[in-house]
Amino acid sequence: VNMGTSRKMSFGFNGKMNGVEGKTPFLIGVSGGTASGKSTVCKRIMEKLGQVDKDHTERQVVCISQDSFYRDLTPAEKLKAEKGQYNFDHPDAFNNDLILQTLRDILAGRKCEIPAYDYRTNSLIKDKVTTIYPADVVLFEGILVFYFPNIRDLFHMKLFVDTDSDTRLARRVPRDINERGRDLDYVLNQYMNFVKPAFEEFCLPTKKFADVIIPRGADNTVAIDLIVQHIRDFLSNRCRVVVEPESPISRSDETL
Ligand code: UZR
Ligand code: MG
């Protein structure tokens, strides 16, 4: 590896190189309140990069959700959850050691397995895991992905999806009822007792760590296009570094 190449690489990675050169993925954290549009922003980014419906052998971009890392509840916690008395919006509700280990594996270019979580039963789905193969870009989205410094520090780029809380509540209610099998009373109680206060205490203060704040979420096509362009630049720079012949001319160009 010549000097010019390594300089170019470290530019793309913000100086963070953790794995084999050229194998460390660009890791993007996406946070924001519940129903802010985090998953949709990630989906749009992947669509624009043409990543949907590709299998893992050609896929360059993958998305992982923090929700997959909810801790399995003890029987006592399960009872609380059924009565709407368990706080799923607290940082300790997640298996943070597993999140850290998984992101470290990803950064080291190792394939890893992600647990599957069922919102209807508030539990991990036994014997079901999703294998994540090494990728060029990895998106990790969730309400509290910027909360713990050791996890937060792993991201090369941090996005915060900033959507008004009334909009978020208006989206959350039908989603919980239709997709997560709840009734209106349960959803509103959970929201007032846990979701809203935890957002204000744990999620909103992490907005200051974001590199890019996306107002209005997935509606903000300009912001999404800018981010996608940045990812494309990263991917093509990285390709160039790998295939570029080591000629003296290109070397001296890069030192400019
Ligand atoms: P997003 N959540 C559930 O509703 N049930 C569970 O078993 C686990 C999590 C919710 C959680 C949080 N709060 O607000 C939301 N509750 O999932 C985070 N109650 O997911 O960012 O997609 O809204
Ligand atoms: Mg989500």
Side-chain angles (χ1 to χ4, degrees):
V1 176
N2 64 46
M3 279 304 290
T5 302
S6 46
R7 188 162 306 150
K8 207 170 203 174
M9 290 298 293
S10 59
F11 170 74
F13 287 110
N14 279 338
K16 292 184 193 176
M17 288 292 299
N18 301 301
V20 182
E21 188 160 17
K23 294 283 186 198
T24 299
F26 190 67
L27 185 61
I28 305 173
V30 182
S31 196
T34 184
S36 54
K38 299 180 293 293
S39 315
T40 316
V41 163
C42 292
K43 205 170 137 218
R44 293 279 174 283
I45 291 174
M46 295 181 75
E47 279 165 7
K48 295 209 179 209
L49 289 166
Q51 292 305 316
V52 175
D53 298 331
K54 288 192 177 176
D55 74 56
H56 71 85
T57 55
E58 51 181 339
R59 171 172 287 191
Q60 290 180 294
V61 185
V62 295
C63 181
I64 302 167
S65 176
Q66 187 182 27
D67 296 6
S68 304
F69 295 88
Y70 269 112
R71 281 197 300 107
D72 231 350
L73 303 186
T74 64
E77 288 170 331
K78 231 175 201 150
L79 271 174
K80 278 180 126 187
E82 277 158 25
K83 289 187 255 168
Q85 292 165 2
Y86 182 82
N87 191 353
F88 286 101
D89 293 71
H90 193 280
D92 295 340
F94 298 93
N95 184 343
N96 294 297
D97 291 339
L98 188 61
I99 291 177
L100 190 63
Q101 189 49 53
T102 303
L103 294 181
R104 282 184 178 152
D105 283 346
I106 285 170
L107 285 169
R110 288 189 284 267
K111 95 173 180 194
C112 52
E113 290 184 337
I114 309 288
Y117 185 82
D118 184 352
Y119 294 96
R120 289 172 184 268
T121 57
N122 315 114
S123 56
L124 294 169
I125 304 171
K126 285 216 166 23
D127 305 322
K128 189 179 167 198
V129 290
T130 306
T131 304
I132 303 291
Y133 293 89
D136 297 304
V137 176
V138 176
L139 295 145
F140 187 59
E141 65 88 14
I143 49 176
L144 295 170
V145 299
F146 301 150
Y147 184 78
F148 291 108
N150 55 358
I151 294 174
R152 181 171 73 228
D153 289 346
L154 296 177
F155 299 113
H156 301 111
M157 183 189 200
K158 296 186 273 300
L159 311 178
F160 191 95
V161 182
D162 198 8
T163 305
D164 290 342
S165 41
D166 52 354
T167 306
R168 294 191 294 102
L169 178 61
R171 286 193 198 141
R172 167 94 186 216
V173 169
R175 185 181 72 184
D176 274 6
I177 292 174
N178 299 328
E179 294 171 24
R180 296 179 180 177
R182 317 260 164 81
D183 64 37
L184 182 61
D185 237 32
Y186 181 104
V187 175
L188 293 180
N189 275 324
Q190 182 91 24
Y191 190 86
M192 293 310 292
N193 293 334
F194 297 113
V195 181
K196 183 180 164 70
F199 170 75
E200 285 162 4
E201 186 174 352
F202 306 116
C203 177
L204 193 54
T206 68
K207 185 160 87 170
K208 63 175 171 284
F209 300 116
D211 302 305
V212 182
I213 295 168
I214 308 174
R216 306 180 306 281
D219 294 341
N220 193 335
T221 50
V222 173
I224 290 171
D225 284 344
L226 286 168
I227 291 158
V228 166
Q229 196 49 49
H230 183 80
I231 298 171
R232 284 207 190 102
D233 289 348
F234 166 79
L235 289 175
S236 61
N237 270 335
R238 168 152 132 166
C239 264
R240 223 163 1 140
V241 169
V242 175
V243 297
E244 211 168 314
E246 290 191 12
S247 74
I249 295 162
S250 75
R251 210 172 298 172
S252 59
D253 275 346
E254 281 164 4
T255 55
L256 291 175

PDB file of all heavy atoms in Angstrom, residues 192-220:
ATOM      1  N   MET A 192     -47.868   7.641  27.093  1.00  0.00           N
ATOM      2  CA  MET A 192     -47.774   8.694  28.111  1.00  0.00           C
ATOM      3  C   MET A 192     -46.865   8.294  29.270  1.00  0.00           C
ATOM      4  O   MET A 192     -46.151   9.130  29.824  1.00  0.00           O
ATOM      5  CB  MET A 192     -49.170   9.032  28.661  1.00  0.00           C
ATOM      6  CG  MET A 192     -50.082   9.691  27.646  1.00  0.00           C
ATOM      7  SD  MET A 192     -49.305  11.082  26.799  1.00  0.00           S
ATOM      8  CE  MET A 192     -49.182  12.251  28.156  1.00  0.00           C
ATOM      9  N   ASN A 193     -46.883   7.001  29.660  1.00  0.00           N
ATOM     10  CA  ASN A 193     -46.106   6.566  30.825  1.00  0.00           C
ATOM     11  C   ASN A 193     -44.633   6.326  30.511  1.00  0.00           C
ATOM     12  O   ASN A 193     -43.779   6.581  31.358  1.00  0.00           O
ATOM     13  CB  ASN A 193     -46.697   5.278  31.418  1.00  0.00           C
ATOM     14  CG  ASN A 193     -48.068   5.521  32.010  1.00  0.00           C
ATOM     15  OD1 ASN A 193     -48.382   6.651  32.415  1.00  0.00           O
ATOM     16  ND2 ASN A 193     -48.898   4.487  32.055  1.00  0.00           N
ATOM     17  N   PHE A 194     -44.349   5.806  29.336  1.00  0.00           N
ATOM     18  CA  PHE A 194     -42.965   5.398  29.046  1.00  0.00           C
ATOM     19  C   PHE A 194     -42.374   6.027  27.786  1.00  0.00           C
ATOM     20  O   PHE A 194     -41.278   6.578  27.830  1.00  0.00           O
ATOM     21  CB  PHE A 194     -42.872   3.870  28.914  1.00  0.00           C
ATOM     22  CG  PHE A 194     -43.233   3.143  30.172  1.00  0.00           C
ATOM     23  CD1 PHE A 194     -44.384   2.361  30.236  1.00  0.00           C
ATOM     24  CD2 PHE A 194     -42.435   3.254  31.298  1.00  0.00           C
ATOM     25  CE1 PHE A 194     -44.723   1.697  31.405  1.00  0.00           C
ATOM     26  CE2 PHE A 194     -42.764   2.593  32.471  1.00  0.00           C
ATOM     27  CZ  PHE A 194     -43.918   1.809  32.521  1.00  0.00           C
ATOM     28  N   VAL A 195     -43.104   5.927  26.671  1.00  0.00           N
ATOM     29  CA  VAL A 195     -42.500   6.297  25.389  1.00  0.00           C
ATOM     30  C   VAL A 195     -42.116   7.775  25.360  1.00  0.00           C
ATOM     31  O   VAL A 195     -40.976   8.129  25.043  1.00  0.00           O
ATOM     32  CB  VAL A 195     -43.445   5.948  24.210  1.00  0.00           C
ATOM     33  CG1 VAL A 195     -42.797   6.306  22.877  1.00  0.00           C
ATOM     34  CG2 VAL A 195     -43.823   4.466  24.239  1.00  0.00           C
ATOM     35  N   LYS A 196     -43.074   8.633  25.754  1.00  0.00           N
ATOM     36  CA  LYS A 196     -42.797  10.079  25.701  1.00  0.00           C
ATOM     37  C   LYS A 196     -41.731  10.514  26.713  1.00  0.00           C
ATOM     38  O   LYS A 196     -40.747  11.170  26.330  1.00  0.00           O
ATOM     39  CB  LYS A 196     -44.103  10.858  25.888  1.00  0.00           C
ATOM     40  CG  LYS A 196     -43.949  12.374  25.786  1.00  0.00           C
ATOM     41  CD  LYS A 196     -45.296  13.061  25.981  1.00  0.00           C
ATOM     42  CE  LYS A 196     -45.156  14.551  26.265  1.00  0.00           C
ATOM     43  NZ  LYS A 196     -44.694  15.302  25.081  1.00  0.00           N
ATOM     44  N   PRO A 197     -41.861  10.140  28.005  1.00  0.00           N
ATOM     45  CA  PRO A 197     -40.801  10.563  28.938  1.00  0.00           C
ATOM     46  C   PRO A 197     -39.426   9.991  28.597  1.00  0.00           C
ATOM     47  O   PRO A 197     -38.416  10.682  28.749  1.00  0.00           O
ATOM     48  CB  PRO A 197     -41.269  10.059  30.310  1.00  0.00           C
ATOM     49  CG  PRO A 197     -42.521   9.298  30.105  1.00  0.00           C
ATOM     50  CD  PRO A 197     -42.998   9.509  28.706  1.00  0.00           C
ATOM     51  N   ALA A 198     -39.380   8.754  28.118  1.00  0.00           N
ATOM     52  CA  ALA A 198     -38.071   8.160  27.781  1.00  0.00           C
ATOM     53  C   ALA A 198     -37.477   8.836  26.551  1.00  0.00           C
ATOM     54  O   ALA A 198     -36.254   9.019  26.461  1.00  0.00           O
ATOM     55  CB  ALA A 198     -38.191   6.656  27.546  1.00  0.00           C
ATOM     56  N   PHE A 199     -38.331   9.231  25.620  1.00  0.00           N
ATOM     57  CA  PHE A 199     -37.824   9.974  24.454  1.00  0.00           C
ATOM     58  C   PHE A 199     -37.121  11.242  24.928  1.00  0.00           C
ATOM     59  O   PHE A 199     -36.011  11.556  24.508  1.00  0.00           O
ATOM     60  CB  PHE A 199     -38.969  10.323  23.493  1.00  0.00           C
ATOM     61  CG  PHE A 199     -38.557  11.286  22.410  1.00  0.00           C
ATOM     62  CD1 PHE A 199     -37.770  10.853  21.348  1.00  0.00           C
ATOM     63  CD2 PHE A 199     -38.941  12.621  22.459  1.00  0.00           C
ATOM     64  CE1 PHE A 199     -37.357  11.736  20.362  1.00  0.00           C
ATOM     65  CE2 PHE A 199     -38.529  13.509  21.471  1.00  0.00           C
ATOM     66  CZ  PHE A 199     -37.741  13.069  20.426  1.00  0.00           C
ATOM     67  N   GLU A 200     -37.799  11.958  25.841  1.00  0.00           N
ATOM     68  CA  GLU A 200     -37.239  13.235  26.290  1.00  0.00           C
ATOM     69  C   GLU A 200     -35.976  13.041  27.136  1.00  0.00           C
ATOM     70  O   GLU A 200     -35.049  13.841  27.076  1.00  0.00           O
ATOM     71  CB  GLU A 200     -38.311  14.034  27.046  1.00  0.00           C
ATOM     72  CG  GLU A 200     -39.295  14.621  26.040  1.00  0.00           C
ATOM     73  CD  GLU A 200     -40.625  15.069  26.620  1.00  0.00           C
ATOM     74  OE1 GLU A 200     -40.787  14.999  27.867  1.00  0.00           O
ATOM     75  OE2 GLU A 200     -41.483  15.484  25.840  1.00  0.00           O
ATOM     76  N   GLU A 201     -35.946  11.958  27.904  1.00  0.00           N
ATOM     77  CA  GLU A 201     -34.797  11.754  28.792  1.00  0.00           C
ATOM     78  C   GLU A 201     -33.596  11.113  28.085  1.00  0.00           C
ATOM     79  O   GLU A 201     -32.449  11.487  28.360  1.00  0.00           O
ATOM     80  CB  GLU A 201     -35.214  10.884  29.993  1.00  0.00           C
ATOM     81  CG  GLU A 201     -34.107  10.761  31.023  1.00  0.00           C
ATOM     82  CD  GLU A 201     -34.545  10.026  32.282  1.00  0.00           C
ATOM     83  OE1 GLU A 201     -35.760   9.732  32.432  1.00  0.00           O
ATOM     84  OE2 GLU A 201     -33.664   9.749  33.107  1.00  0.00           O
ATOM     85  N   PHE A 202     -33.859  10.165  27.189  1.00  0.00           N
ATOM     86  CA  PHE A 202     -32.737   9.376  26.653  1.00  0.00           C
ATOM     87  C   PHE A 202     -32.461   9.592  25.167  1.00  0.00           C
ATOM     88  O   PHE A 202     -31.316   9.499  24.740  1.00  0.00           O
ATOM     89  CB  PHE A 202     -32.982   7.881  26.886  1.00  0.00           C
ATOM     90  CG  PHE A 202     -33.259   7.513  28.308  1.00  0.00           C
ATOM     91  CD1 PHE A 202     -34.494   6.990  28.677  1.00  0.00           C
ATOM     92  CD2 PHE A 202     -32.292   7.708  29.288  1.00  0.00           C
ATOM     93  CE1 PHE A 202     -34.760   6.656  29.998  1.00  0.00           C
ATOM     94  CE2 PHE A 202     -32.546   7.381  30.610  1.00  0.00           C
ATOM     95  CZ  PHE A 202     -33.782   6.848  30.975  1.00  0.00           C
ATOM     96  N   CYS A 203     -33.510   9.820  24.374  1.00  0.00           N
ATOM     97  CA  CYS A 203     -33.307   9.890  22.916  1.00  0.00           C
ATOM     98  C   CYS A 203     -32.999  11.317  22.453  1.00  0.00           C
ATOM     99  O   CYS A 203     -31.961  11.557  21.823  1.00  0.00           O
ATOM    100  CB  CYS A 203     -34.535   9.344  22.179  1.00  0.00           C
ATOM    101  SG  CYS A 203     -34.421   9.465  20.383  1.00  0.00           S
ATOM    102  N   LEU A 204     -33.874  12.255  22.816  1.00  0.00           N
ATOM    103  CA  LEU A 204     -33.699  13.635  22.338  1.00  0.00           C
ATOM    104  C   LEU A 204     -32.321  14.224  22.675  1.00  0.00           C
ATOM    105  O   LEU A 204     -31.723  14.901  21.833  1.00  0.00           O
ATOM    106  CB  LEU A 204     -34.847  14.505  22.882  1.00  0.00           C
ATOM    107  CG  LEU A 204     -35.010  15.893  22.262  1.00  0.00           C
ATOM    108  CD1 LEU A 204     -35.128  15.822  20.746  1.00  0.00           C
ATOM    109  CD2 LEU A 204     -36.236  16.596  22.862  1.00  0.00           C
ATOM    110  N   PRO A 205     -31.778  13.974  23.890  1.00  0.00           N
ATOM    111  CA  PRO A 205     -30.447  14.539  24.181  1.00  0.00           C
ATOM    112  C   PRO A 205     -29.333  13.992  23.288  1.00  0.00           C
ATOM    113  O   PRO A 205     -28.248  14.574  23.252  1.00  0.00           O
ATOM    114  CB  PRO A 205     -30.196  14.136  25.647  1.00  0.00           C
ATOM    115  CG  PRO A 205     -31.538  13.837  26.214  1.00  0.00           C
ATOM    116  CD  PRO A 205     -32.349  13.290  25.082  1.00  0.00           C
ATOM    117  N   THR A 206     -29.595  12.887  22.560  1.00  0.00           N
ATOM    118  CA  THR A 206     -28.539  12.352  21.695  1.00  0.00           C
ATOM    119  C   THR A 206     -28.549  13.019  20.314  1.00  0.00           C
ATOM    120  O   THR A 206     -27.675  12.742  19.488  1.00  0.00           O
ATOM    121  CB  THR A 206     -28.650  10.815  21.498  1.00  0.00           C
ATOM    122  OG1 THR A 206     -29.830  10.501  20.739  1.00  0.00           O
ATOM    123  CG2 THR A 206     -28.689  10.086  22.829  1.00  0.00           C
ATOM    124  N   LYS A 207     -29.537  13.904  20.096  1.00  0.00           N
ATOM    125  CA  LYS A 207     -29.589  14.598  18.804  1.00  0.00           C
ATOM    126  C   LYS A 207     -28.310  15.407  18.572  1.00  0.00           C
ATOM    127  O   LYS A 207     -27.851  15.560  17.451  1.00  0.00           O
ATOM    128  CB  LYS A 207     -30.824  15.501  18.762  1.00  0.00           C
ATOM    129  CG  LYS A 207     -31.042  16.182  17.428  1.00  0.00           C
ATOM    130  CD  LYS A 207     -32.459  16.656  17.248  1.00  0.00           C
ATOM    131  CE  LYS A 207     -32.675  18.031  17.818  1.00  0.00           C
ATOM    132  NZ  LYS A 207     -33.997  18.578  17.421  1.00  0.00           N
ATOM    133  N   LYS A 208     -27.738  15.904  19.680  1.00  0.00           N
ATOM    134  CA  LYS A 208     -26.544  16.750  19.524  1.00  0.00           C
ATOM    135  C   LYS A 208     -25.332  15.986  18.998  1.00  0.00           C
ATOM    136  O   LYS A 208     -24.364  16.599  18.560  1.00  0.00           O
ATOM    137  CB  LYS A 208     -26.196  17.450  20.843  1.00  0.00           C
ATOM    138  CG  LYS A 208     -25.837  16.523  21.977  1.00  0.00           C
ATOM    139  CD  LYS A 208     -25.388  17.322  23.199  1.00  0.00           C
ATOM    140  CE  LYS A 208     -25.223  16.478  24.434  1.00  0.00           C
ATOM    141  NZ  LYS A 208     -26.512  16.101  25.046  1.00  0.00           N
ATOM    142  N   PHE A 209     -25.386  14.668  19.031  1.00  0.00           N
ATOM    143  CA  PHE A 209     -24.258  13.890  18.516  1.00  0.00           C
ATOM    144  C   PHE A 209     -24.373  13.635  17.006  1.00  0.00           C
ATOM    145  O   PHE A 209     -23.447  13.107  16.396  1.00  0.00           O
ATOM    146  CB  PHE A 209     -24.165  12.541  19.245  1.00  0.00           C
ATOM    147  CG  PHE A 209     -23.968  12.695  20.732  1.00  0.00           C
ATOM    148  CD1 PHE A 209     -24.939  12.242  21.625  1.00  0.00           C
ATOM    149  CD2 PHE A 209     -22.831  13.316  21.231  1.00  0.00           C
ATOM    150  CE1 PHE A 209     -24.766  12.391  22.995  1.00  0.00           C
ATOM    151  CE2 PHE A 209     -22.653  13.467  22.600  1.00  0.00           C
ATOM    152  CZ  PHE A 209     -23.618  13.005  23.485  1.00  0.00           C
ATOM    153  N   ALA A 210     -25.521  13.998  16.423  1.00  0.00           N
ATOM    154  CA  ALA A 210     -25.743  13.692  15.009  1.00  0.00           C
ATOM    155  C   ALA A 210     -24.876  14.573  14.115  1.00  0.00           C
ATOM    156  O   ALA A 210     -24.621  15.734  14.419  1.00  0.00           O
ATOM    157  CB  ALA A 210     -27.213  13.884  14.658  1.00  0.00           C
ATOM    158  N   ASP A 211     -24.426  14.002  12.998  1.00  0.00           N
ATOM    159  CA  ASP A 211     -23.733  14.781  11.974  1.00  0.00           C
ATOM    160  C   ASP A 211     -24.746  15.473  11.068  1.00  0.00           C
ATOM    161  O   ASP A 211     -24.528  16.573  10.601  1.00  0.00           O
ATOM    162  CB  ASP A 211     -22.863  13.859  11.104  1.00  0.00           C
ATOM    163  CG  ASP A 211     -21.848  13.100  11.925  1.00  0.00           C
ATOM    164  OD1 ASP A 211     -21.075  13.758  12.654  1.00  0.00           O
ATOM    165  OD2 ASP A 211     -21.845  11.859  11.869  1.00  0.00           O
ATOM    166  N   VAL A 212     -25.864  14.784  10.822  1.00  0.00           N
ATOM    167  CA  VAL A 212     -26.913  15.333   9.967  1.00  0.00           C
ATOM    168  C   VAL A 212     -28.252  15.128  10.664  1.00  0.00           C
ATOM    169  O   VAL A 212     -28.556  14.020  11.112  1.00  0.00           O
ATOM    170  CB  VAL A 212     -26.950  14.626   8.588  1.00  0.00           C
ATOM    171  CG1 VAL A 212     -28.009  15.249   7.688  1.00  0.00           C
ATOM    172  CG2 VAL A 212     -25.589  14.667   7.904  1.00  0.00           C
ATOM    173  N   ILE A 213     -29.032  16.202  10.775  1.00  0.00           N
ATOM    174  CA  ILE A 213     -30.380  16.101  11.333  1.00  0.00           C
ATOM    175  C   ILE A 213     -31.343  16.211  10.157  1.00  0.00           C
ATOM    176  O   ILE A 213     -31.232  17.129   9.338  1.00  0.00           O
ATOM    177  CB  ILE A 213     -30.620  17.215  12.368  1.00  0.00           C
ATOM    178  CG1 ILE A 213     -29.676  17.010  13.564  1.00  0.00           C
ATOM    179  CG2 ILE A 213     -32.079  17.232  12.832  1.00  0.00           C
ATOM    180  CD1 ILE A 213     -29.597  18.181  14.523  1.00  0.00           C
ATOM    181  N   ILE A 214     -32.255  15.237  10.060  1.00  0.00           N
ATOM    182  CA  ILE A 214     -33.171  15.205   8.909  1.00  0.00           C
ATOM    183  C   ILE A 214     -34.556  15.631   9.373  1.00  0.00           C
ATOM    184  O   ILE A 214     -35.287  14.835   9.968  1.00  0.00           O
ATOM    185  CB  ILE A 214     -33.234  13.789   8.298  1.00  0.00           C
ATOM    186  CG1 ILE A 214     -31.819  13.262   8.006  1.00  0.00           C
ATOM    187  CG2 ILE A 214     -34.086  13.770   7.033  1.00  0.00           C
ATOM    188  CD1 ILE A 214     -31.790  11.817   7.548  1.00  0.00           C
ATOM    189  N   PRO A 215     -34.957  16.885   9.120  1.00  0.00           N
ATOM    190  CA  PRO A 215     -36.307  17.286   9.496  1.00  0.00           C
ATOM    191  C   PRO A 215     -37.339  16.582   8.619  1.00  0.00           C
ATOM    192  O   PRO A 215     -37.076  16.322   7.447  1.00  0.00           O
ATOM    193  CB  PRO A 215     -36.335  18.800   9.236  1.00  0.00           C
ATOM    194  CG  PRO A 215     -34.942  19.193   8.871  1.00  0.00           C
ATOM    195  CD  PRO A 215     -34.234  17.958   8.427  1.00  0.00           C
ATOM    196  N   ARG A 216     -38.485  16.244   9.197  1.00  0.00           N
ATOM    197  CA  ARG A 216     -39.623  15.636   8.490  1.00  0.00           C
ATOM    198  C   ARG A 216     -39.372  14.206   8.011  1.00  0.00           C
ATOM    199  O   ARG A 216     -40.203  13.640   7.303  1.00  0.00           O
ATOM    200  CB  ARG A 216     -40.080  16.488   7.302  1.00  0.00           C
ATOM    201  CG  ARG A 216     -40.402  17.936   7.632  1.00  0.00           C
ATOM    202  CD  ARG A 216     -40.846  18.705   6.409  1.00  0.00           C
ATOM    203  NE  ARG A 216     -39.896  18.616   5.309  1.00  0.00           N
ATOM    204  CZ  ARG A 216     -38.770  19.316   5.224  1.00  0.00           C
ATOM    205  NH1 ARG A 216     -38.451  20.176   6.173  1.00  0.00           N
ATOM    206  NH2 ARG A 216     -37.974  19.163   4.186  1.00  0.00           N
ATOM    207  N   GLY A 217     -38.256  13.634   8.339  1.00  0.00           N
ATOM    208  CA  GLY A 217     -38.020  12.222   8.023  1.00  0.00           C
ATOM    209  C   GLY A 217     -38.006  11.895   6.553  1.00  0.00           C
ATOM    210  O   GLY A 217     -37.432  12.631   5.745  1.00  0.00           O
ATOM    211  N   ALA A 218     -38.688  10.803   6.197  1.00  0.00           N
ATOM    212  CA  ALA A 218     -38.581  10.257   4.847  1.00  0.00           C
ATOM    213  C   ALA A 218     -39.149  11.188   3.781  1.00  0.00           C
ATOM    214  O   ALA A 218     -38.852  11.034   2.595  1.00  0.00           O
ATOM    215  CB  ALA A 218     -39.260   8.890   4.774  1.00  0.00           C
ATOM    216  N   ASP A 219     -39.968  12.184   4.188  1.00  0.00           N
ATOM    217  CA  ASP A 219     -40.479  13.162   3.207  1.00  0.00           C
ATOM    218  C   ASP A 219     -39.354  14.046   2.672  1.00  0.00           C
ATOM    219  O   ASP A 219     -39.513  14.702   1.653  1.00  0.00           O
ATOM    220  CB  ASP A 219     -41.519  14.090   3.857  1.00  0.00           C
ATOM    221  CG  ASP A 219     -42.769  13.332   4.257  1.00  0.00           C
ATOM    222  OD1 ASP A 219     -42.975  12.219   3.733  1.00  0.00           O
ATOM    223  OD2 ASP A 219     -43.537  13.864   5.088  1.00  0.00           O
ATOM    224  N   ASN A 220     -38.266  14.106   3.427  1.00  0.00           N
ATOM    225  CA  ASN A 220     -37.194  15.037   3.082  1.00  0.00           C
ATOM    226  C   ASN A 220     -36.267  14.428   2.025  1.00  0.00           C
ATOM    227  O   ASN A 220     -35.170  13.962   2.307  1.00  0.00           O
ATOM    228  CB  ASN A 220     -36.417  15.388   4.350  1.00  0.00           C
ATOM    229  CG  ASN A 220     -35.508  16.568   4.155  1.00  0.00           C
ATOM    230  OD1 ASN A 220     -35.087  16.846   3.035  1.00  0.00           O
ATOM    231  ND2 ASN A 220     -35.204  17.250   5.240  1.00  0.00           N
TER     232      ASN A 220
END
